[in-house]
Amino acid sequence: MTASDLSTVRPASGGATDALRRSNLATVLGLVHRDGALSRSDLTRLTGLNRSTVGDLVAELAGLGLVEVDETPGGGRAGRPSPVVRASDGVAAIAVNPEVDAVIVGLVALGGRVLKRVRVETASARSAAETVTLASAGIAGMLAGETGIRVAGIGVAVPGQVRLSDGMVREATHFGWVDEPLAAMLSQATGHRAWAANAAVLGLRAESAFGAGRGVDDLVYMIGGASGIGGGAVGGGRLLTGAAGYAGEFGHTLVRTDGRHCSCGSYGCLEAEVTQAELLASVGLASPDASALADRLVATGDAGALAVIERDYRMLQIAARNAVNVFNPSLLVLGGFLAALYRGARAHGAADLLAEVVHSSREGVVVAEAALGADQLLIGAAELVFSELIADPARALAAA
């Protein structure tokens, strides 16, 4: 599975020759973006193009500032060394992740490298307009003094349902947002093109391209954060988005029939029953210290904390059982506080997360923690920008 399988690539315009050149540029840049530094001979082999064509494409990408070429690579290879091509840090995407307790802003280079991140602490109740103001200020502060970096656009990871076609936030219940044109608002405020999508789907996209799900064609991803729980699924190497892009709402899986009232209006949803705030409080941590949660859950011997872990893990088991039974993946990836809960529960002797899955579906399924940690949503948000950039590099940069 490749990153391009998880994005919408628009066909190039113009004549056949121009369209072929644009397609080849996209292929070469996509390989360098996903796979890291590659020799020009590697690119020739992987693309099936001849050496001179690859050389011309690399030269064009270098001229656009998207790649750098090392003409004197090491590596001890016999014979004449082939120049190494790597993604440049000179073109980057801005990534924005609004949560109920903060707005997180990052600068992400091609290849999924997070160059900078800023966390702006906020009150939980704020409008979309206030979020745009905070994000814009965070972006301005992050870029202050930066020279030599060209911003290709802004990607926003929203904890809510987002219409893929235009970045309209249809619902973000934790914020009280309904039909907020967040991408358009942020673009108007900053002057950069902006795209928005569901945060959990973008986390899945990042893990599929660069993390625990790399090369896996059938997987389920579940992530928990301050704003709730979400996720997504990949089947046959393709992201399962649903009709309008709202698929993967694992946070609203029913896990308790007599459960708590959920922000969605229903009862007993996973994200109403299992929250980051409760887990943090059980081990004496505050929201900014969420990165330490897994270690605290593993180390705790407090009876109250152990009871919270046991209860929440049971709810997670139910949701995981449903997801694996429905999607039949080979891999289940847990991110955010769900990964911390999983690690903590297993450290205290909890049963296999998939113990109650249908036996035939359970065979061979691996449960793994997300590999990208706190950066996964920023990297995923940047992919919204990079998918457009890779599809047509020259046009995307001209429009940035």
Side-chain angles (χ1 to χ4, degrees):
M1 178 176 58
T2 67
S4 61
D5 292 323
L6 301 181
S7 61
T8 301
V9 179
R10 296 173 182 169
S13 59
T17 300
D18 186 55
L20 180 60
R21 180 186 61 81
R22 290 169 186 247
S23 175
N24 288 338
L25 278 174
T27 297
V28 171
L29 183 57
L31 285 168
V32 175
H33 172 58
R34 293 188 302 272
D35 297 340
L38 293 168
S39 71
R40 208 159 64 191
S41 60
D42 288 335
L43 289 170
T44 300
R45 174 178 54 82
L46 290 168
T47 61
L49 301 171
N50 64 51
R51 286 191 300 171
S52 61
T53 298
V54 170
D56 290 344
L57 293 169
V58 168
E60 184 170 351
L61 291 171
L64 291 169
L66 293 168
V67 302
E68 298 172 352
V69 182
D70 184 352
E71 298 285 351
T72 57
R77 296 179 181 178
R80 183 179 177 183
S82 176
V84 170
V85 183
R86 57 177 54 86
S88 169
D89 286 344
V91 176
I94 294 170
V96 178
N97 172 217
E99 293 280 9
V100 295
D101 57 351
V103 175
I104 303 157
V105 178
L107 189 64
V108 185
L110 283 163
R113 298 184 300 278
V114 178
L115 306 177
K116 281 186 174 182
R117 61 182 291 136
V118 175
R119 180 183 172 94
V120 182
E121 299 291 333
T122 71
S124 59
R126 63 179 188 275
S127 67
E130 290 168 331
T131 295
V132 168
T133 298
L134 290 168
S136 299
I139 291 167
M142 183 178 67
L143 294 179
E146 282 288 346
T147 58
I149 291 183
R150 188 171 182 181
V151 174
I154 301 173
V156 190
V158 182
Q161 293 185 326
V162 184
R163 191 165 62 203
L164 292 178
S165 60
D166 59 2
M168 172 74 75
V169 180
R170 298 305 311 279
E171 290 182 84
T173 55
H174 292 279
F175 297 117
W177 299 351
V178 176
D179 289 338
E180 293 285 359
L182 190 65
M185 293 166 66
L186 196 53
S187 181
Q188 184 175 17
T190 64
H192 296 293
R193 292 201 301 166
W195 295 263
N198 174 266
V201 170
L202 294 178
L204 166 60
R205 196 163 162 176
E207 288 292 330
S208 293
F210 303 107
R214 184 181 177 88
V216 179
D217 283 345
D218 296 279
L219 68 94
V220 166
Y221 170 83
M222 301 172 71
I223 182 172
S227 300
I229 294 172
V234 171
R238 295 194 174 276
L239 179 65
L240 305 179
T241 61
Y246 308 143
E249 286 288 350
F250 294 122
H252 298 290
T253 296
L254 176 64
V255 295
R256 186 170 179 177
T257 55
D258 60 345
R260 302 169 180 173
H261 184 256
C262 181
S263 61
C264 74
S266 191
Y267 292 84
C269 295
L270 178 63
E271 75 170 39
E273 300 296 326
V274 180
T275 70
Q276 177 175 282
E278 282 186 314
L279 281 167
L280 288 170
S282 74
V283 289
L285 293 175
S287 185
D289 305 316
S291 61
L293 179 59
D295 290 341
R296 285 289 187 92
L297 293 177
V298 168
T300 188
D302 178 76
L306 292 174
V308 172
I309 294 170
E310 181 180 7
R311 178 192 179 280
D312 286 2
Y313 186 72
R314 177 57 186 155
M315 301 297 107
L316 179 59
Q317 276 187 307
I318 295 170
R321 178 184 71 196
N322 291 337
V324 173
N325 282 340
V326 169
F327 291 104
N328 186 213
S330 60
L331 176 68
L332 171 61
V333 179
L334 300 174
F337 78 79
L338 294 182
L341 171 60
Y342 174 72
R343 193 188 308 177
R346 294 290 280 170
H348 294 290
D352 182 350
L353 184 66
L354 306 181
E356 298 176 4
V357 172
V358 172
H359 180 73
S360 54
S361 297
R362 187 171 73 244
E363 288 181 341
V365 182
V366 174
V367 179
E369 294 183 25
L372 302 177
D375 289 335
Q376 58 196 287
L377 297 185
L378 296 180
I379 294 171
E383 286 296 285
L384 289 172
V385 179
F386 291 144
S387 65
E388 294 283 332
L389 175 64
I390 290 168
D392 194 343
R395 185 176 66 178
L397 285 178

